[in-house]
Amino acid sequence: MMKKPEVSTRILDKSYNEEMLKILARSPMKSDLLELHFDKSPDIFRSSELWSSDCAYYGVFADGALAGFGMHLKYDGYIHGQIRRISYFGNFCIDQKYHGRG
């Protein structure tokens, strides 16, 4: 039986860009009929920054190695005809080598 890794999370800065792009490239979304990859190179942070200045990526670390990441941003959007602050969670990606490990 494999040992469960020590798991932690923390905010990622741009020094993780290359590693995040590699994880994204290794982890396409798959179905029976389709394999889909979103290329965010050369800067995975850029598209989120264009959308909002209030954005952060969070890393999931397994035994100190970056195993995956996700993004949270806030932006002003319309809800029922009024501008409101909206939270958006997305761009979650776990490296395939960590799939199925709990």
Side-chain angles (χ1 to χ4, degrees), residues 17-85:
N17 184 63
E18 289 302 316
E19 197 170 352
M20 293 166 71
L21 289 171
K22 288 176 185 174
I23 290 171
L24 189 61
R26 288 191 300 259
S27 305
M29 292 183 279
K30 294 182 181 181
S31 72
D32 291 339
L33 302 173
L34 186 65
E35 188 170 303
L36 189 60
H37 168 73
F38 291 101
D39 183 2
K40 294 188 175 259
S41 61
D43 183 354
I44 200 166
F45 292 84
R46 189 66 182 138
S47 62
S48 301
E49 292 169 342
L50 291 170
W51 192 3
S52 173
S53 61
D54 190 356
C55 174
Y57 274 90
Y58 294 84
V60 177
F61 291 82
D63 292 330
L66 184 61
F69 56 88
M71 180 264 301
H72 174 239
L73 64 79
K74 293 181 183 179
Y75 68 98
D76 294 327
Y78 283 99
I79 298 178
H80 300 294
Q82 295 182 329
I83 296 176
R84 300 203 185 260
R85 199 77 173 147

